[in-house]
Every structure is written in C-alpha cells, then in structure tokens.
Amino acid sequence: MTSSIRHVTIDCADAYAVADFWSRVLGQPLHEDDGEEDEEVLIEAAGLLFVTVPEAKTVKNRLHFDLQPQDRTRDEEVDRLLALGASIIDDQRTGDGMGWVVLADPEGNEFCVERSEAERED
C-alpha cells in the first residue's frame, strides 16, 4: 500500500489573505465553509491548505510552485500576478524570450512563472 498527498500545506501569518491571493492566481474558489476569521483555509481543487502560524517566514522556500500560463504569455501572466499583489524577486528572462521570473506572494513565498506551452512551441 502507498500514500497519496491530500494537501500541500502552506504556513502563513494570514491564511485567508494568502489563500485568497492564490485563489485568484489559480482561478479556483476557496472552500465554501472557509472565511476571513478561519485559521485554516482550503483551495480544494488545487489541494492547497493555508494555515495561520505565529512564526514569520525567515528564509527561502524549500518547495515552490512553477506556474505555466494556460491562456496568455509568460510576460502577460507576470503582469497579471503583479496586479494581484505579487512582487518580483528575480528576473531570469533572456533576450531571446527564454527564461522565467521568480515572484513572491504577499507574504514572501517564492514561485516561478515559466513560458506558456504556446511559447515553448515557437
């Protein structure tokens, strides 16, 4: 018998605020029972559970998400995510259109935005 991953749990200072950010990034709703006062907030379709903890983030993530836009270019997606509250940590885009961008969510958790499938086919 094996195990399966039920959720990926993300510690944060404000579970609802970070979950709401990721809900908008992924276009997936928060669990219907979760609200602003909850210390655990779930994006069920994505398997992401956000939990309020007292400790602040202090170092680089050991695990991060690599996002691939589905209906826009990498650069368009970076602009959309910046408008949602992300910030650029490192820009690895190259002059020939390759590369990725390292962003952080509102609490500083790093993630990458890669080129879309259409951009990879060019």
Side-chain angles (χ1 to χ4, degrees), residues 36-110:
E36 290 185 45
E37 69 287 347
D38 291 319
E39 292 189 0
E40 294 184 2
V41 181
L42 177 64
I43 302 175
E44 193 165 24
L48 300 177
L49 177 63
F50 298 85
V51 178
T52 300
V53 298
E55 305 86 20
K57 180 182 180 306
T58 57
V59 297
K60 183 181 183 298
N61 299 3
R62 295 295 302 255
L63 172 86
H64 69 268
F65 301 123
D66 288 335
L67 303 181
Q68 184 178 42
Q70 299 300 299
D71 58 357
R72 59 184 56 96
T73 68
R74 174 202 55 216
D75 295 344
E76 291 168 338
E77 183 68 349
V78 167
D79 290 342
R80 183 181 82 88
L81 298 174
L82 292 172
L84 290 177
S87 55
I88 293 178
I89 301 298
D90 189 21
D91 194 334
Q92 292 292 319
R93 291 177 279 195
T94 60
D96 61 1
M98 305 293 272
W100 64 92
V101 181
V102 181
L103 299 175
D105 72 15
E107 286 200 6
N109 300 302
E110 298 93 357

